[in-house]
Amino acid sequence: IYKSSCGGNQVYVHHNISGKLYTTAYYHLLTINVSLGDNVTSNTVVGTAGGHKSTTPWDGCSTGAHLHFVIANGWYGTSCSGDCYLSFDTFKYIKSIDPQKVLGLPNEGIYWYSR
């Protein structure tokens, strides 16, 4: 869980899927509904989308409400072990993978209104 002046409220979730480690990140959140150390499932609402500078003091660079979602190989952050790295640049630019291909997400510009 992190707060940034550009990126807003942020949540990072560590996953272990059949022994393979991943980190997912959720940026530009209006609210955060989880705490550090919580176990989350596919039914857990980690937060609500935000992203407009008028909705939260933590997101001064967004122009509209949206969710920025990232998935990366390995675990990112200070409270991790194993395949662990601490650099945000490594997380975003080297370890990240295309979630559209992995999760079957819709193409850019397509909107949906429920989970």
Side-chain angles (χ1 to χ4, degrees), residues 8-92:
N9 293 315
Q10 304 172 11
V11 172
Y12 296 85
V13 178
H14 291 162
H15 306 267
N16 184 333
I17 302 171
S18 301
K20 179 97 171 117
L21 305 179
Y22 299 95
T23 300
T24 53
Y26 308 82
Y27 303 147
H28 306 291
L29 298 174
L30 177 61
T31 64
I32 295 175
N33 298 354
V34 294
S35 297
L36 184 64
D38 283 358
N39 287 318
V40 300
T41 70
S42 59
N43 292 318
T44 303
V45 177
V46 297
T48 56
H52 192 272
K53 58 186 171 187
S54 68
T55 60
T56 176
W58 299 106
D59 205 0
C61 65
S62 292
T63 58
H66 67 288
L67 174 69
H68 185 147
F69 175 75
V70 179
I71 184 170
N73 289 303
W75 282 357
Y76 167 69
T78 58
S79 61
C80 59
S81 60
D83 182 12
C84 180
Y85 48 95
L86 303 176
S87 164
F88 181 77
D89 287 342
T90 300
F91 172 72
K92 187 169 182 182

